[in-house]
Amino acid sequence: MSAVKGDLEFKALTDIFEKLELTTKRTEMTALLVQLFRKTPAEVIDKVVYLMQGKLYPDWMGMPELGIGERLIIRAISMATGFSDGVVEKEFKRLGDLGKAAEILKSKKRQAALTAFFGIQVVKPLTVTRVYTTLDKIAKTTGPGSIDLKVKLLGGLLQDATAKEAKYLVRIVEGRLRLGVAEATMMDALAIVYGKTKLARPVIERAYNLCSDLGYVARLLAEKGIEALKTMAVTVGRPIRPMLAERLSSPREILMKTGGKVLAEFKYDGERAQIHKKGDKIWIFSRRLENITHQYPDVQDYARNYIKANEAIVEGEIVCIDPDTGELRPFQELMRRRRKHDIHTAMKEYPVSVFLFDLLYADGVDYTQKPIIERREKLKSIIDETDRFRLAEAIITDNPDEIEEFFLKAIESGCEGIVAKALHQNAIYQAGARGWLWIKYKRDYKSEMMDTVDLVAVGAFYGRGRRAGTYGALLMAAYDPEADVFRTVCKVGSGFTDEDLEKLPEMFKDLIIDHKHPRVDSKMEADVWFVPQIVAEIIGAEITLSPIHTCYWGKMKPGAGLAIRFPRFIRWRPDKGPEDATTVHEIAEMYKKQLRRVEEAKMP
Ligand code: ATP
């Protein structure tokens, strides 16, 4: 038992740290942790768990970090040992390790001089509570004079530390503890100490998956026992560890693995977001459970305005979109937005939409144990869907061809592929697990379009927002010389300047007809049809198979044509007539070349 009631000597912790450093075997690590937890009073077990990971809180809380630089640590060591900064620095350079330098200097410390200075020699063993609260104070101290205060606080701890304790304290404040103890190992040890049966381990894990805070779980377990964990519910404001998908490469395999029927959803290529709402308060957590709320004031507003439930936890993907056409933009644009310092400019330049795909909690009801179909229905009922905040595109099917067609549609719309979700009654939300209830089906290749193409405008779509009153996108086609027909390849809305856009209605005014032109082959319904005449130069990310565009229809694959993904307008080509446009055969050649490049890239 602990020498200090309700607390633990810091030495008990550092003794274990030292032993943990000598092993990489999980069973040995577990045994050491069991020893430690047995000695640890419930009141401090959370602190022990955090300190063991070299932190004070779970990362997602976004609490201030310790933030002590090398210089200041050197000053604190000097203060605690009586050696000058220069000596500390020399020792640090010699050993290349500030923790070790502290250890050695502590063991040689000028005890006599210090004793003389302080009058009496006080030996006050450090406790976990003192270490934790002092480090917490160091982290939270800000403003003028805070640097000196931080040094003084750390110096005070090092003063009372043994040589070994000093080594680990320095490592913790440097953010370099790195004991390599996985969370799973800590859970094993907690189960052995507090659980009576083997069943305790999954209960602990589930509780952890629901709150992402192992310190909190350990404390609840130590204070209230395993039953308290069993009844632990999700809490708004605490992230739930995300469910992850397995991967397969054919619709047939997917259907076999999921029981014959799936909910197939677009797999959007953006940033995963777990959005928590409690009245007006919103939290947004990333895939790695970082708190990214402040990066998305726009998403906060969507959540506030369009989630009808008072309290909810929903999941979705944040994707950059073209504000005028609503089309999805590539993942790289979201990364560009992240790099911007001024969040409000970034928001305007890179607007986003959220595509929701799950519901974990709503107004007092935990949905994580409910089957997907119930979760999705409830999700739909609590969202006021808008262009900027809506449910992921989805179909329910048991037909492999339909899955394939939906997959092609997803790719062409700018998605990465699809996520197929099992529909049976046991298809719950498996927090923190990668399993077969969700299967991703992505392309296994990626290739760049090398060349531009010249395409004919055969129709247009009305613009919205900034583009109201003009066209938002043009429907573009390649030429098929055999049939003397124009077959569609893409809808282009990006790359136009404001001036280009303004001129569009005037430019096409005399070409408008009230039906699809007889020389145009299109499955897509444009808002306005044109006589094929005006040619534009276009570049895209790549050529893909498409269930919508009619270029080279059925020749590469039954039920599919070819399309250009992420097309951008470059310039008009008044020097070209419609029959001078790139032909469907040329597009097919480009596609085949792309496939060959991919094959070559795969070769060893
Ligand atoms: P990991 O599987 O490790 O998450 P990853 O982060 O690269 O890898 P993928 O495995 O490729 O992501 O796919 C899973 C991710 O797909 C989810 O984490 C989520 O961000 C994203 N996603 C997009 N659309 C959906 C959807 N409709 N349903 C579920 N996940 C989706």
Side-chain angles (χ1 to χ4, degrees):
M1 263 287 127
S2 169
V4 250
K5 202 170 174 316
D7 205 342
L8 180 72
E9 283 187 4
F10 189 53
K11 180 174 181 305
L13 200 59
T14 52
D15 283 350
I16 296 288
F17 286 179
E18 198 169 37
K19 291 180 185 152
L20 283 169
E21 277 185 332
L22 299 175
T23 178
T24 49
K25 290 208 188 87
R26 185 157 164 190
T27 45
E28 286 176 13
M29 286 187 165
T30 312
L32 289 168
L33 294 183
V34 167
Q35 258 183 46
L36 176 66
F37 290 150
R38 289 223 157 101
K39 276 192 224 161
T40 306
E43 292 91 326
V44 290
I45 195 161
D46 47 351
K47 298 183 175 72
V48 165
V49 166
Y50 300 133
L51 288 174
M52 199 131 54
Q53 295 172 295
K55 46 183 149 185
L56 302 174
Y57 298 95
D59 297 335
W60 55 262
M61 275 190 193
M63 298 298 273
E65 306 220 340
L66 275 162
I68 286 214
E70 239 160 47
R71 295 263 106 240
L72 302 188
I73 300 177
I74 288 173
R75 268 174 62 193
I77 298 173
S78 155
M79 196 173 146
T81 58
F83 289 104
S84 70
D85 285 15
V87 172
V88 180
E89 197 158 349
K90 216 160 131 205
E91 202 59 12
F92 170 36
K93 285 223 173 91
R94 187 176 74 83
L95 297 161
D97 178 335
L98 205 47
K100 276 218 179 94
E103 182 179 26
I104 290 198
L105 293 173
K106 269 300 284 193
S107 63
K108 293 202 240 172
K109 131 172 154 173
R110 294 177 177 162
Q111 199 59 58
L114 285 169
T115 309
F117 182 74
F118 286 106
I120 42 160
Q121 189 185 349
V122 197
V123 183
K124 212 164 48 172
L126 290 181
T127 66
V128 165
T129 302
R130 175 164 168 218
V131 167
Y132 185 92
T133 45
T134 311
L135 294 182
D136 196 34
K137 223 185 262 172
I138 292 174
K140 288 179 180 156
T141 303
T142 51
S146 63
I147 301 236
D148 285 344
L149 184 56
K150 281 175 197 264
V151 172
K152 219 162 132 193
L153 287 166
L154 180 59
L157 276 186
L158 292 172
Q159 166 79 43
D160 291 343
T162 63
K164 194 162 70 189
E165 288 169 346
K167 174 171 84 179
Y168 290 110
L169 274 174
V170 167
R171 289 204 177 144
I172 291 174
V173 293
E174 274 188 305
R176 285 199 189 169
L177 186 61
R178 298 189 197 131
L179 296 172
V181 185
E183 277 152 353
T185 312
M186 286 204 250
M187 288 194 266
D188 286 344
L190 287 171
I192 294 169
V193 175
Y194 292 104
K196 294 194 179 65
T197 69
K198 267 179 117 177
L199 291 175
R201 177 63 169 77
V203 174
I204 294 172
E205 184 156 352
R206 178 179 172 273
Y208 175 51
N209 286 334
L210 290 186
C211 71
S212 311
D213 183 345
L214 201 52
Y216 176 76
V217 170
R219 175 105 182 234
L220 198 63
L221 178 64
E223 280 182 341
K224 307 228 165 94
I226 197 87
E227 288 307 313
L229 291 195
K230 279 189 194 157
T231 53
M232 196 170 101
V234 299
T235 312
V236 180
R238 283 176 181 272
I240 296 166
R241 299 187 67 230
M243 173 166 182
L244 300 172
E246 282 289 354
R247 181 179 187 139
L248 283 175
S249 51
S250 87
R252 271 177 213 288
E253 285 176 299
I254 289 174
L255 287 171
M256 259 160 52
K257 201 80 190 176
T258 46
K261 198 171 182 186
V262 291
L263 168 77
E265 289 177 339
F266 275 14
K267 183 178 191 302
Y268 296 89
D269 194 9
E271 168 156 37
R272 184 174 187 154
Q274 194 178 92
I275 306 172
H276 292 227
K277 175 181 186 238
K278 188 174 203 158
D280 267 352
K281 175 123 179 83
I282 307 290
W283 296 258
I284 308 171
F285 298 107
S286 72
R287 150 102 166 74
R288 297 174 53 213
L289 307 185
E290 295 136 328
N291 189 327
I292 51 170
T293 315
H294 60 283
Q295 289 174 24
Y296 292 108
D298 38 4
V299 176
Q300 290 180 46
D301 280 345
Y302 304 161
R304 238 172 246 125
N305 297 334
Y306 308 133
I307 299 180
K308 289 185 272 182
N310 186 42
E311 288 194 2
I313 303 175
V314 298
E315 268 195 330
E317 193 86 356
I318 301 177
V319 190
C320 266
I321 49 144
D322 183 310
D324 302 310
T325 62
E327 280 171 13
L328 304 178
R329 303 297 309 147
F331 176 69
Q332 290 74 6
E333 291 203 4
L334 198 67
M335 293 301 102
R336 268 181 231 138
R337 164 164 164 156
R338 273 196 159 219
R339 280 198 291 272
K340 292 255 160 180
H341 293 303
D342 175 4
I343 191 78
H344 292 277
T345 321
M347 253 165 59
K348 282 206 193 93
E349 253 175 78
Y350 300 103
V352 296
S353 275
V354 183
F355 296 92
L356 300 163
F357 54 76
D358 224 316
L359 171 80
L360 311 185
Y361 176 86
D363 286 335
V365 182
D366 180 345
Y367 278 84
T368 58
Q369 298 300 303
K370 308 214 186 269
I372 180 98
I373 213 69
E374 199 176 326
R375 303 204 301 276
R376 211 177 200 276
E377 270 166 19
K378 180 70 185 176
L379 177 64
K380 199 162 178 55
S381 77
I382 64 158
I383 304 295
D384 252 338
E385 287 191 77
T386 74
D387 285 351
R388 296 299 178 89
F389 199 71
R390 60 184 151 117
L391 268 64
E393 192 87 12
I395 55 166
I396 289 181
T397 180
D398 57 4
N399 179 336
D401 295 337
E402 262 177 48
I403 296 184
E404 188 65 25
E405 186 176 327
F406 190 66
F407 168 77
L408 294 178
K409 191 172 152 205
I411 298 285
E412 192 196 303
S413 313
C415 290
E416 261 190 307
I418 57 169
V419 184
K421 302 182 176 177
L423 275 175
H424 50 74
Q425 282 304 305
N426 297 326
I428 57 164
Y429 187 91
Q430 292 177 316
R434 187 184 297 285
W436 293 102
L437 294 179
W438 285 10
I439 302 173
K440 55 190 170 185
Y441 176 32
K442 302 203 266 191
R443 288 169 320 152
D444 59 355
Y445 64 89
K446 199 167 178 89
S447 58
E448 306 266 297
M449 208 170 137
M450 308 285 256
D451 218 347
T452 61
V453 287
D454 299 317
L455 302 172
V456 187
V458 296
F461 300 86
Y462 291 125
R464 288 174 297 178
R466 218 158 38 94
R467 294 189 189 179
T470 175
Y471 299 128
L474 300 178
L475 181 60
M476 306 301 294
Y479 183 51
D480 181 345
E482 271 88 54
D484 189 25
V485 158
F486 298 94
R487 304 195 196 272
T488 70
V489 218
C490 64
K491 198 172 133 184
V492 63
S494 298
F496 295 104
T497 62
D498 286 347
E499 203 183 340
D500 290 331
L501 286 173
E502 253 172 55
K503 288 189 188 148
L504 285 179
E506 178 62 26
M507 231 174 127
F508 284 95
K509 173 172 97 221
D510 297 333
L511 302 176
I512 296 176
I513 42 176
D514 61 3
H515 52 84
K516 185 165 68 184
H517 193 276
R519 284 174 74 207
V520 170
D521 173 25
S522 172
K523 281 159 101 57
M524 203 175 242
E525 271 303 313
D527 293 335
V528 183
W529 293 106
F530 301 141
V531 176
Q533 185 159 316
I534 296 183
V535 178
E537 190 174 336
I538 305 286
I539 184 93
E542 64 184 310
I543 299 172
T544 62
L545 290 170
S546 155
I548 300 165
H549 288 292
T550 54
C551 171
Y552 217 60
W553 185 260
K555 294 195 187 122
M556 292 303 304
K557 196 178 176 129
L562 292 177
I564 293 174
R565 194 164 176 249
F566 295 132
R568 287 184 84 77
F569 169 83
I570 297 179
R571 58 191 165 128
W572 300 113
R573 294 299 305 259
D575 52 327
K576 289 204 164 180
E579 290 81 12
D580 300 321
T582 303
T583 65
V584 293
H585 303 292
E586 284 171 306
I587 302 239
E589 272 317 304
M590 289 170 84
Y591 177 67
K592 288 179 201 160
K593 217 185 266 172
Q594 242 181 228
L595 290 184
R596 278 199 296 276
R597 273 209 309 278
V598 171
E599 282 312 311
E600 279 162 20
K602 276 193 203 156
M603 283 205 275

